[in-house]
Amino acid sequence: QVQLVESGGGLVQAGGSLRLSCAASRTRGSINVMRWHRQAPGKERELVAGITWDGTTNYADSVKGRFTISRDNVKNTMYLQMNSLKPEDTAVYYCNADTWSGERFWGQGTQVTVSS
């Protein structure tokens, strides 16, 4: 079992920044890929960014150049630095972790609200 706890969400004005964190309970070496997803009201959950154990990253086109995903394998924590935020970035942000054995775990989500 892997417990994921997100933090760092909040209310920010358009153009501002936030940094999300996702702390994992599993000891290092067990988790392969970690990702950030988001779900806006009335919309499906979408992938925002992902990072593998060795640091390979990928981003949704809508956040490229504005968001940066990173990972500290010693602290078992993943981050999402979000800059130049837009109202359309408003959503509940979820982290997920995939283990090497193929299990998938989700956090409880953290609300990000960007006002215009």
Side-chain angles (χ1 to χ4, degrees):
Q1 186 76 12
V2 176
Q3 291 185 330
L4 302 172
V5 179
E6 301 103 331
S7 61
L11 173 64
V12 64
Q13 290 188 332
S17 299
L18 282 174
R19 188 192 195 205
L20 305 183
S21 299
C22 173
S25 62
R26 182 69 68 87
T27 57
R28 63 176 174 170
S30 300
I31 297 174
N32 178 13
V33 182
M34 299 186 76
R35 304 179 184 89
W36 286 102
H37 304 251
R38 67 186 179 187
Q39 187 166 19
K43 295 187 177 181
E44 293 186 354
R45 189 172 298 189
E46 61 175 356
L47 175 66
V48 176
I51 185 167
T52 63
W53 68 276
D54 62 352
T56 302
T57 60
N58 67 284
Y59 296 92
D61 288 343
S62 59
V63 306
K64 282 181 181 177
R66 300 188 298 122
F67 291 9
T68 302
I69 190 171
S70 61
R71 179 173 174 176
D72 185 329
N73 288 334
V74 174
K75 295 181 178 180
N76 296 318
T77 302
M78 175 179 64
Y79 306 96
L80 186 68
Q81 178 66 43
M82 305 186 294
N83 298 327
S84 303
L85 283 161
K86 305 175 181 179
E88 51 263 44
D89 294 318
T90 295
V92 178
Y93 283 70
Y94 299 90
C95 68
N96 99 270
D98 291 351
T99 66
W100 288 101
S101 60
E103 298 171 289
R104 174 164 289 184
F105 299 94
W106 291 90
Q108 82 289 349
T110 185
Q111 177 71 46
V112 172
T113 303
V114 184
S115 63
S116 57

